[in-house]
Amino acid sequence: MRLAPLARVLRLNPDFQQETVRSMLKRHHTEAPSYWTQLGLAAGIATFGLVLNSGAVIIGAMLVAPLMGPIIELAMGLAVGSALLAIRSAARVGVSVVVAILASGLLTRMLPFQEVTAEIAARTSPTVLDLGVASLCALTAAFVTLKPHDTMSTAAGTSIGISLVPPLCASGFGLGVGQMHVAWGALLLFTANLSAILLFAVIVFLLSGFGEVKAGMLEEEVVGELPKKSPIIRLSARLNGLFGSRNATVFKLLLPITLVGAVFVPLQRALATVSAEVQARQKMAKILGERPELRNALVTAIDFDQSGLAVRLVVLGDPSHAKELEDHLKERIASQIGSPATVSVLGVPDAAAVARMAAAAMPAPVAVAPPPPPKVLPLSELDERVSDALATTYPEKEAGPLLRWSLAGNTDPPVLRLTHHGEPLGAAATKLLGEALSDPLNGPVQVMDDAISPLRHEVADAAALATELSVARERISGLTDLRFCVEVPGNKRFPALAQKQVEATREALGLPEGAVREGAAYTLQISKEPCPAPPAPPPTK
């Protein structure tokens, strides 16, 4: 048996061709739940992506959408002459189109806003170029069907390029908001993609030798699962006669060629319109460059609407000069572009005139009396204000008792030093405290945190203990309710000698009785409570 040209190139044997068609005939019912679920999800994702103007979300919908499957199966049904496969696939495609459009339209109606975004507008004005893109993607999709095991990335790229569900959802959006030009334009793009896939997929399958597959025997395996009087069975029996006729190849290509011919005319007209607009913009750029006033236009708008070309300019100059520019542009556009245009030129004064007009329109300045000098508070009133403010704002529960405060007014802002018996407040707390005190003190104030920790801490030796004790005395000078509690290591072997060492250390440090006791190491604590009593000596035997 001689293989078809493309079958030889791709090394496709008859067994593979037959198994491919058999799998398409059998999976119609087995994959139905998964197919409709994916289609519904893809329609929802695409609708949200279009409304949100998100290309990434729309690409996600393209990857999920399963609509390519039944379209390729329809093309295969036409190529092999299987009326059953063609009818079932065509029915699924038709129902899918209706479901996607209605679902998108209903979802659009439920949204709080309906705006034609750039992603929607891009799918409402297809041209022949879109048909060319669809044709190349169709060839790729057919190749994926012939070589399914090594083309997963190619399949993903084809799904993105062919864009089937987003145009249907854009059409549903137009239907939902009542903008029928959006709905018809997007539906035209889908039809162009559909017709290109069908035509080129059928051609590829025929060149690959699928026309030699005995579709009748494969259909008999599936017909037994369907009711004998099913409309699909009766209709497929009639069409099988056409597929088996002498003009079978013409009949197989009739449907896709008809679809391509139907969409080619409006797509060609759209391309001609886009081409004319591009050429008109290029000519307008040359026209605007002829005169300095037009080259320096502040605002230039060149639009195309139903009435044709519309040009709106804002230039520097008086109204009479703007009118002269309007007449000049109308004449040049008619001679260069060949069609009349709506031209509007607005003249505004120069920058100096605008400044003069703005100055004239401003009311005369009103003399404002200088603000009174800030009130200088007496020292006694200032102390009272600080005390009252600290009584309500100082966080004693978190920071410990406030021992004293001092205000230095020779800086800007003044520095309020707070000495308290507790852990440091931290930068955030001191900033918040300063903001809380600024209002009662009639101005900003900076808080300096002077925290005296109540925790016992260890020092290296007796010399370090003496040094740290000297520094601590300076800090708590004048604070009679604080005391030092010291521990020094003793002699464990000779308790009597250890007690004498403790007393000697106390006298050397100048501490009162009870302030020093024996411990495991040299430690220092600043406490408001009396120092712990030394442990009782062990009883003598």
Side-chain angles (χ1 to χ4, degrees):
M1 178 178 177
R2 187 175 181 182
L3 296 177
L6 193 56
R8 290 197 303 271
V9 174
L10 299 178
R11 298 181 180 178
L12 304 177
N13 55 61
D15 293 337
F16 170 79
Q17 297 168 344
Q18 186 169 343
E19 185 59 33
T20 300
V21 178
R22 178 184 288 108
S23 64
M24 288 185 177
L25 283 167
K26 288 187 174 182
R27 70 187 179 195
H28 182 79
H29 293 291
T30 58
E31 296 184 357
S34 174
Y35 173 84
W36 294 113
T37 301
Q38 291 182 60
L39 181 66
L41 293 175
I45 295 172
T47 302
F48 280 115
L50 292 170
V51 174
L52 296 175
N53 201 34
S54 174
V57 177
I58 297 173
I59 290 175
M62 295 175 184
L63 294 175
V64 174
L67 193 53
M68 178 73 77
I71 297 177
I72 291 295
E73 291 174 0
L74 174 57
M76 182 64 77
L78 294 175
V80 302
S82 173
L84 178 61
L85 181 59
I87 293 173
R88 291 196 312 186
S89 302
R92 175 166 287 187
V93 171
V95 175
S96 299
V97 170
V98 175
V99 168
I101 292 177
L102 292 181
S104 179
L106 291 175
L107 185 57
T108 300
R109 297 293 298 175
M110 297 169 59
L111 295 176
F113 59 90
Q114 294 91 19
E115 180 183 3
V116 179
T117 62
E119 292 289 348
I120 297 176
R123 290 166 173 81
T124 58
S125 301
T127 66
V128 174
L129 299 180
D130 294 285
L131 187 62
V133 173
S135 302
L136 296 177
C137 291
L139 293 174
T140 309
F143 177 73
V144 170
T145 304
L146 300 179
K147 305 290 286 184
H149 300 296
D150 55 358
T151 52
M152 293 304 296
S153 60
T154 306
T158 303
S159 299
I160 296 174
I162 203 66
S163 185
L164 292 170
V165 170
L168 292 178
C169 293
S171 180
F173 175 88
L175 183 64
V177 299
Q179 298 187 25
M180 298 311 298
H181 68 283
V182 174
W184 287 116
L187 190 59
L188 177 61
L189 175 60
F190 171 79
T191 306
N193 293 336
L194 171 65
S195 60
I197 296 173
L198 285 179
L199 177 60
F200 287 94
V202 169
I203 294 174
V204 170
F205 292 150
L206 289 176
L207 294 177
S208 302
F210 280 88
E212 303 298 328
V213 174
K214 304 299 182 182
M217 294 187 302
L218 299 177
E219 286 184 357
E220 291 179 358
E221 300 178 12
V222 181
V223 168
E225 304 173 3
L226 300 175
K228 298 298 183 181
K229 296 184 179 180
S230 170
I232 295 180
I233 298 298
R234 295 198 300 267
L235 182 58
S236 61
R238 294 181 181 179
L239 290 180
N240 279 334
L242 295 175
F243 282 128
S245 65
R246 298 173 59 182
N247 299 320
T249 302
V250 176
F251 179 73
K252 293 174 181 180
L253 295 174
L254 180 62
L255 175 61
I257 291 177
T258 302
L259 287 175
V260 171
V263 300
F264 184 82
V265 175
L267 292 178
Q268 179 61 32
R269 290 177 180 174
L271 179 61
T273 302
V274 172
S275 178
E277 292 180 359
V278 172
Q279 295 177 7
R281 290 181 186 276
Q282 293 174 348
K283 293 179 179 179
M284 276 301 306
K286 294 181 179 179
I287 294 174
L288 294 177
E290 294 175 352
R291 297 182 61 166
E293 310 97 303
L294 298 176
R295 286 198 301 267
N296 299 326
L298 297 179
V299 179
T300 302
I302 304 175
D303 299 324
F304 294 87
D305 51 25
Q306 296 179 353
S307 59
L309 178 63
V311 181
R312 294 181 296 276
L313 303 176
V314 178
V315 298
L316 293 174
D318 53 46
S320 60
H321 182 59
K323 183 64 171 64
E324 187 269 331
L325 288 176
E326 276 189 13
D327 297 337
H328 169 75
L329 284 176
K330 290 179 180 178
E331 179 181 352
R332 293 293 295 153
I333 291 173
S335 61
Q336 292 293 322
I337 299 180
S339 61
T342 303
V343 180
S344 174
V345 179
L346 175 64
V348 297
D350 57 18
V354 173
R356 290 194 299 270
M357 293 174 60
M362 294 178 60
V366 179
V368 179
K375 181 181 179 181
V376 179
L377 298 176
L379 186 59
S380 59
E381 184 177 349
L382 180 61
D383 290 345
E384 184 179 354
R385 285 199 176 193
V386 173
S387 299
D388 293 343
L390 289 174
T392 57
T393 58
Y394 176 74
E396 183 171 356
K397 183 178 179 181
E398 294 78 10
L402 180 63
L403 303 177
R404 65 187 173 197
W405 60 267
S406 62
L407 183 64
N410 57 349
T411 60
D412 188 19
V415 177
L416 178 62
R417 185 186 185 93
L418 301 180
T419 303
H420 59 98
H421 191 235
E423 292 303 303
L425 294 171
T430 54
K431 182 179 180 181
L432 292 175
L433 186 57
E435 294 175 354
L437 292 171
S438 62
D439 188 39
L441 298 183
N442 292 339
V445 62
Q446 179 182 355
V447 175
M448 179 178 292
D449 185 19
D450 181 21
I452 299 176
S453 175
L455 302 179
R456 183 181 299 274
H457 63 281
E458 185 175 337
V459 295
D461 49 26
L465 175 63
T467 301
E468 189 159 342
L469 187 62
S470 176
V471 174
R473 277 196 173 103
E474 292 294 329
R475 291 189 63 194
I476 68 172
S477 176
L479 300 175
T480 58
D481 52 348
L482 294 182
R483 55 186 55 83
F484 298 108
C485 298
V486 177
E487 288 185 355
V488 295
N491 195 323
K492 301 297 183 181
R493 298 180 61 185
F494 304 100
L497 181 60
Q499 185 60 33
K500 289 183 179 180
Q501 290 176 346
V502 170
E503 287 299 322
T505 302
R506 182 186 65 79
E507 292 177 0
L509 296 176
L511 295 174
E513 293 186 3
V516 182
R517 69 171 187 170
E518 184 182 353
Y522 290 99
T523 64
L524 175 63
Q525 180 185 16
I526 303 176
S527 175
K528 291 192 68 175
E529 305 296 332
C531 297
T540 58
K541 296 184 179 179

